[in-house]
Amino acid sequence: MNLGYRTAQRAFGAVGTAALCVAMGTACSGTIEAQTTESNRTPRTAAPAATPSTNTATGSTTAPPPRPPQMMVMEPEETDPPADPPEETETAGISFETDVWPIFNDKCGPSCHVDSGFGNQNIGSDDLDEAFEDSVAFETSILNDLNSGSMPIGCDGGPGSPGCVTVADFETIEAWYEQGAPR
């Protein structure tokens, strides 16, 4: 269906015509073309025809006032239902002191990353503040070393391999960093 641009402008005003153009996805360069796909076509029924009225005193007939053009009603496209909220995971609310520090004490602290400060870090220290500060400062190297299997000493392959942190421990450490390394 083509609706003349001037007709649309008279019926809807300049602002209404512009909004109609945007809603219909047209450039409005003279005509407005209504999109007619099966998904947005709305069946319309014809409005009852206006009948002339007769003035009983004079017997003259007056034409009914002109009807304004009717707008095509477009139904909204169906959308997917909203996604379910994410489920609580076991890694939600991980803290350094209760979840991560014990892993570092066990796997990194006994002989290397405590007082001798190998790699200039003491993530396995018995001093909570020192261990926390170094754990935050060396995030990238800690994750890379644990994941590649280069740490702890004696690790043969990566998380879950002999001598390495367990897969669960690595996931806990990784999730802690993803949460912003909370204290």
Side-chain angles (χ1 to χ4, degrees):
M1 161 178 127
N2 286 334
L3 178 64
Y5 182 79
R6 294 286 175 221
T7 304
Q9 199 168 23
R10 278 192 304 271
F12 307 113
V15 173
T17 302
L20 183 62
C21 293
V22 170
M24 298 176 100
T26 64
C28 290
S29 61
T31 62
I32 302 171
E33 295 183 19
Q35 298 174 354
T36 56
T37 63
E38 290 302 316
S39 66
N40 68 5
R41 188 178 306 165
T42 303
R44 287 193 285 172
T45 58
T51 56
S53 62
T54 304
N55 185 336
T56 54
T58 62
S60 65
T61 304
T62 48
R67 283 192 346 220
Q70 293 185 352
M71 292 181 52
M72 186 170 113
V73 178
M74 299 176 78
E75 295 177 9
E77 293 183 21
E78 291 185 30
T79 58
D80 293 332
D84 291 333
E87 294 182 17
E88 290 290 321
T89 62
E90 294 178 21
T91 60
I94 297 172
S95 78
F96 179 75
E97 185 173 1
T98 59
D99 302 301
V100 177
W101 189 34
I103 298 168
F104 287 163
N105 276 335
D106 180 49
K107 293 294 185 179
C108 310
S111 60
C112 298
H113 297 287
V114 184
D115 294 328
S116 54
F118 288 132
N120 290 327
Q121 56 180 296
N122 293 316
I123 63 173
S125 175
D126 287 333
D127 180 340
L128 175 65
D129 293 329
E130 181 179 44
F132 177 76
E133 288 174 19
D134 283 357
S135 297
V136 171
F138 291 93
E139 172 184 353
T140 302
S141 63
I142 292 168
L143 287 173
N144 287 340
D145 289 347
L146 292 175
N147 194 38
S148 69
S150 62
M151 290 288 159
I153 300 292
C155 177
D156 187 24
S161 298
C164 304
V165 295
T166 65
V167 171
D169 285 350
F170 180 75
E171 288 173 352
T172 298
I173 294 165
E174 190 173 45
W176 175 71
Y177 281 121
E178 287 173 1
Q179 292 176 13
R183 181 73 185 243

